[in-house]
Amino acid sequence: MRTSQGNIEIIAKDLSEIKLRHNDEKLWIQDLCCNLDKERFTFRLTGKIADEEPIIEFRNGQWYAGRYVGEISYKGRTLRIIPRYESSFHRWISKIWGVRMIQSNGSYRGSNMWLWELIARIWGDQLMRGSKHGLPYTRIEETLKLPSLRGRMKVMETALEVGKGTNRLVSLSRTKVIHPTISNVLSKAYRQIKKELGHGDDRTWLSDKGREIIGLLLQTSASSLSNFTAANKLPQIKYTAILESYRSVVELSLKILHQKSIGATSTGTQEITGTSLDMAEIWELYVYHLLKTTVAGVEVVHTGREREASGHLFQNMDGHKLAALKPDILLRNPLSKQVLAVVDAKYKHTFASLSKPTGLERNDLYQIHAYMDAFSSPGNTVPGVLVYPDESEAKIRQYQMGNPWSSFQQKSDLYFYGVNGELSEGEPTKGLTLSEEKFCAGIRELIGVKITKIPEFQ
């Protein structure tokens, strides 16, 4: 398929085989893989450190897409990796950010980059949340030399002025202004989003109030941000109580501004450009928001956002700890902070294969076992939960029917759940799907049992 720009386009789905028709396409993707550095243009949504999972890989004589979705352009060809759960993907996005994306047949195969439409909507939503208390005002100190005082007098400087015969008073004034760095970052990100979308109509992703706010910021922003974009340095922003609401949109804007091409290949003449999202991050955030909105009476902690929410494998007599462990989600008693369960969201297939006869990866089982051990304490074993996308004929359904699975040594329980965000025909668009309800009901039951067994205060 050829794009409107004349590029040859190869379309694949995440975690699926990439269908290559000709030998030159195979040579092209091999060349791309040799020069690809995913972290240079992967759009990260959480603060977690990236793992070694590749965007594309060669195994068993075939090329496969990893868990990333987006577009990669190189030497006249574009690889577009789309979500394999197309309809579910909309629901996940809605649960996470409250963004309703327009869905139509073939919507991911259009010439425009759908991913930037999503980024634009998320950015617009965060801008509105940041501006809930108004514009990002701050106060700057300014030294004034005038016939009258405007602020606190600077005695020594005033004496020098009088000695010179100028009859001017020197004062230190604190003026209320829109924060120049925040204004600059947001304005620059806004322009970058419009550039990536390729059209000037921001009404599709920015509300009237949002457009009014960005209009004011554009008027006050500086001419450029070369002081940190050219040198790849982040601006230093001190967030006061008033400015704190802008932190999220500023951090998102900085990610957008650092979204550059990977750079020259070994020939020095070609560039790899593109943007990708890690579907594992989206899946993790979806499971987190699903629990946060449906499981009452507990604290649902996303460890990617809370640095202190970690356990350790080992500790010595002096209290020193080794091997920090951070599962995706912790369920805690809101008063005692006692961990009630650890939840890990896995965006993986659970089909049986030669490499995975059980449909599960041993590393996932070892990992959740370590989490359960790290957060358990004498008299309180912490159950673990593994959540996978639900698929027809996938092994996850078999494991879910066998819940709970008990650890022989710890005597603690592991629960498996398959969740599918795809609505069946006739189901209301609001509320939960059948698999979502089973998952949330199972967690509510598990937490209810834990709360009755654990004293309120420990």
Side-chain angles (χ1 to χ4, degrees), residues 364-426:
D364 294 343
L365 300 177
Y366 294 151
Q367 186 182 50
I368 192 66
H369 188 276
Y371 290 158
M372 293 159 66
D373 181 62
F375 287 94
S376 293
S377 58
N380 175 43
T381 56
V382 173
V385 181
L386 285 174
V387 190
Y388 295 84
D390 179 45
E391 299 172 277
S392 178
E393 300 181 5
K395 285 286 187 178
I396 188 59
R397 297 186 177 183
Q398 174 184 328
Y399 294 120
Q400 181 171 334
M401 290 177 62
N403 284 339
W405 298 76
S406 297
S407 168
F408 287 102
Q409 295 181 351
Q410 289 180 309
K411 302 301 180 183
S412 56
D413 293 333
L414 172 62
Y415 295 79
F416 292 94
Y417 284 97
V419 179
N420 184 349
E422 187 170 353
L423 292 168
S424 301
E425 187 175 352

Side-chain angles (χ1 to χ4, degrees), residues 320-334:
H320 297 297
K321 298 178 181 180
L322 286 176
L325 297 172
K326 297 188 73 172
D328 296 332
I329 301 162
L330 293 177
L331 302 179
R332 298 193 305 203
N333 185 310

